[in-house]
Amino acid sequence: MTRCFSLTAARNRCYKSSFIKAGLRSTITDLQDGTVMHCWVPRTHNDSKPNLLLIHGLGANTMWQWGDTIRKMIPFFNIFVPDLVFFGDSYTTRPERSESFQAQCVMRLMEANSVKKLSLVGLSYGGFVGYSLAAQFSEAVERVVICCAGVCMEEKDLKEGVFKVSDLEEAAEILVPQTPEKLRELLGFAMFKPPPSTLVPSCLLADFIDVMCTEYTEEKKELIRAIPKDRKLSNITRISQASGR
């Protein structure tokens, strides 16, 4: 039976409307290699403002993760808010899944929008992408803010139980939830004070999963598996950009 109303879809439309009212416009950029990137960009670019790139983490599309903060930033920056590959309307037919590849796609997207200098904020998985972007394109990235991202983690940290979930496949099942139970687990890990599980009806969680978590599920799990693969602290490039304040 087809759902008559989706609270998640309605909320998504509200976020879209708020982005438009904030002075952003939705764009699709074909990178001509099988990769297509969606990004919210300034409707009117102000040369007197610095450029700020906001890189989302795992979960819903970029609007859900930055929707409550962009209005506070837009008076001071030209804001660029992309969907990473396999999120929102961004995708690729290429086999690469590393954060290095994600960073390259984002940089090519910025170049397509004539952005030569930028600062960035990376949240969670976006922090890994942002760090990689800063390392690969140091001449373009001026300042870096990394939030909730263990960029110094090593592959052995998982095996040694540094994290609450040490099994990578179990982590992927939680981070790309397909059942209300798994989404509840994710909320428990992601929120400082998660609400009691009984207060969030399963029907609302199922609605969120149906709208936000059913596309590119295997590809997203591959992104997660790629993060710790062969990762060693000694091999992580040190970045020289100033940190945000």
Side-chain angles (χ1 to χ4, degrees):
M1 181 175 172
T2 304
R3 266 197 199 102
C4 295
F5 176 76
S6 166
L7 187 62
T8 304
R11 183 61 174 161
N12 199 61
R13 289 191 293 271
C14 289
Y15 275 128
K16 184 175 182 180
S17 177
S18 69
F19 270 54
I20 293 170
K21 289 178 181 177
L24 300 177
R25 62 186 177 90
S26 175
T27 64
I28 296 289
T29 302
D30 189 341
L31 301 184
Q32 303 295 320
D33 65 348
T35 305
V36 171
M37 297 290 288
H38 172 262
C39 187
W40 288 93
V41 305
R43 191 179 301 124
T44 303
H45 192 276
N46 187 335
D47 291 334
S48 66
K49 294 181 182 179
N51 299 314
L52 180 63
L53 172 65
L54 303 179
I55 310 178
H56 68 82
L58 297 166
N61 63 44
T62 194
M63 292 187 296
W64 284 68
Q65 301 190 40
W66 297 111
D68 296 329
T69 58
I70 57 166
R71 283 189 173 276
K72 298 175 183 178
M73 299 178 180
I74 277 180
F76 308 103
F77 302 97
N78 294 307
I79 299 289
F80 294 83
V81 197
D83 279 312
L84 294 175
V85 175
F86 299 128
F87 296 88
D89 293 324
S90 298
Y91 63 89
T92 189
T93 58
R94 294 175 57 125
E96 292 95 329
R97 299 292 184 264
S98 67
E99 67 263 29
S100 175
F101 172 69
Q102 292 272 20
Q104 292 162 16
C105 291
V106 172
M107 193 63 220
R108 291 171 64 193
L109 173 66
M110 292 299 97
E111 291 170 348
N113 283 281
S114 301
V115 175
K116 295 181 172 59
K117 296 286 184 180
L118 60 91
S119 295
L120 67 84
V121 181
L123 174 64
S124 184
Y125 176 69
F128 287 91
V129 177
Y131 190 97
S132 180
L133 200 152
Q136 293 184 72
F137 306 100
S138 58
E139 71 287 349
V141 180
E142 297 177 320
R143 284 182 174 270
V144 178
V145 178
I146 304 295
C147 306
C148 308
V151 294
C152 293
M153 68 171 287
E154 298 183 286
E155 186 174 19
K156 67 181 180 65
D157 292 336
L158 283 173
K159 301 173 183 176
E160 293 175 358
V162 172
F163 303 100
K164 288 186 177 180
V165 179
S166 58
D167 182 80
L168 193 57
E169 292 306 310
E170 183 184 352
E173 292 293 327
I174 295 171
L175 291 168
V176 189
Q178 296 301 294
T179 66
E181 292 71 28
K182 287 299 179 184
L183 184 49
R184 283 194 179 93
E185 282 191 67
L186 178 58
L187 292 174
F189 286 119
M191 301 178 71
F192 175 60
K193 291 184 178 180
S197 59
T198 54
L199 292 184
V200 186
S202 292
C203 61
L204 294 182
L205 298 176
D207 177 59
F208 181 85
I209 291 168
D210 185 55
V211 176
M212 289 291 165
C213 304
T214 56
E215 292 188 333
Y216 301 116
T217 56
E218 185 55 38
E219 288 85 353
K220 289 175 182 176
K221 290 178 182 178
E222 290 171 356
L223 296 177
I224 295 166
R225 295 180 190 118
I227 296 172
K229 184 175 174 58
D230 300 325
R231 193 177 188 92
K232 292 183 178 180
L233 186 58
S234 58
N235 296 334
I236 298 174
T237 303
R238 196 169 184 176
I239 61 174
S240 58
Q241 289 88 347
S243 61
R245 297 182 186 276

